[in-house]
């Protein structure tokens, strides 16, 4: 594999890991969010599952073994109620957007277009959850701004795997 192909594969694996964590995180969101936003959480959960499955196929198509989901993940903060579940959903989307921004840089062609679409979708979901937007979706958490506190230790995804 060329250096560019290695970077693309690494970015694909990171996006896949982020989607695994987002699926887990939305399981928590769905269990805590109020009834009025439960449908929105379910839609996001389904979208992340679909992206996860597509990324696993992309990694396999490149001849690599897709990174597996962790058995469990540590959340970036406690989620005891609906308000914190909404905050978690926005955080999940910010972190996923950041990983997709890396994939946009590493990929080209159809894969780059798909990554840009995923970044856009995550940014739109984050705005819906948060009720406001950030200037550069997918990049704010890289700077440690108030829109995102940076990736959780050990992963670019929303939650840290626990073993």
């Amino acid at each position: 594999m060329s250096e560019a192909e290695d970077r693309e594969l690494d970015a694909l694996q990171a996006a896949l890991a982020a989607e695994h964590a987002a699926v887990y995180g939305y399981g928590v969101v769905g269990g805590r969010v109020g009834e009025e936003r439960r449908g929105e959480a379910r839609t996001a959960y389904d979208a992340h599952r679909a992206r996860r499955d597509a990324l696993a196929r992309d990694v396999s198509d490149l001849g690599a073994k897709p990174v597996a989901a962790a058995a469990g993940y540590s959340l970036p903060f406690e989620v005891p109620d609906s308000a914190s579940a909404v905050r978690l959903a926005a955080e999940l989307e910010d972190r996923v957007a950041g990983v997709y921004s890396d994939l946009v840089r590493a990929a080209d062609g159809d894969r780059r277009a798909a990554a840009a679409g995923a970044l856009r979708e995550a940014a739109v979901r984050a705005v819906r959850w948060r009720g406001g937007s950030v200037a550069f979706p997918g990049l704010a958490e890289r700077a440690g701004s108030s829109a995102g506190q940076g990736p959780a230790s050990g992963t670019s995804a929303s939650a840290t795997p626990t073993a």
Side-chain angles (χ1 to χ4, degrees), residues 7-155:
R7 277 194 310 271
E8 184 174 5
L9 179 58
D10 289 346
L12 278 168
Q13 292 280 36
L16 176 56
E19 290 292 7
H20 284 312
V23 167
Y24 178 91
Y26 268 104
V28 174
V29 170
R32 298 279 196 270
V33 77
E35 187 65 38
E36 69 281 358
R37 298 202 74 182
R38 196 156 291 142
E40 189 176 352
R42 179 65 175 173
T43 299
Y45 174 79
D46 291 341
H48 286 291
R49 286 182 57 206
R51 289 277 182 195
R52 176 201 63 196
D53 295 347
L55 288 165
R57 284 189 300 274
D58 286 346
V59 169
S60 292
D61 289 348
L62 292 176
K65 182 178 179 188
V67 64
Y73 294 84
S74 296
L75 300 175
F77 49 83
E78 289 188 37
V79 185
D81 55 24
S82 183
S84 60
V86 168
R87 241 179 53 236
L88 177 60
E91 179 79 10
L92 292 168
E93 298 300 346
D94 284 340
R95 292 180 181 208
V96 168
V99 175
Y100 278 114
S101 72
D102 292 341
L103 184 54
V104 168
R105 282 191 297 276
D108 57 12
D110 290 342
R111 196 165 284 135
R112 182 179 189 152
L119 191 159
R120 181 183 63 248
E121 290 169 11
V124 168
R125 280 190 299 266
V127 167
R128 287 184 181 141
W129 285 113
R130 185 180 302 106
S133 64
V134 296
F136 298 103
L139 299 179
E141 64 278 357
R142 300 290 195 242
S145 74
S146 62
Q149 298 303 313
S153 175
T155 181

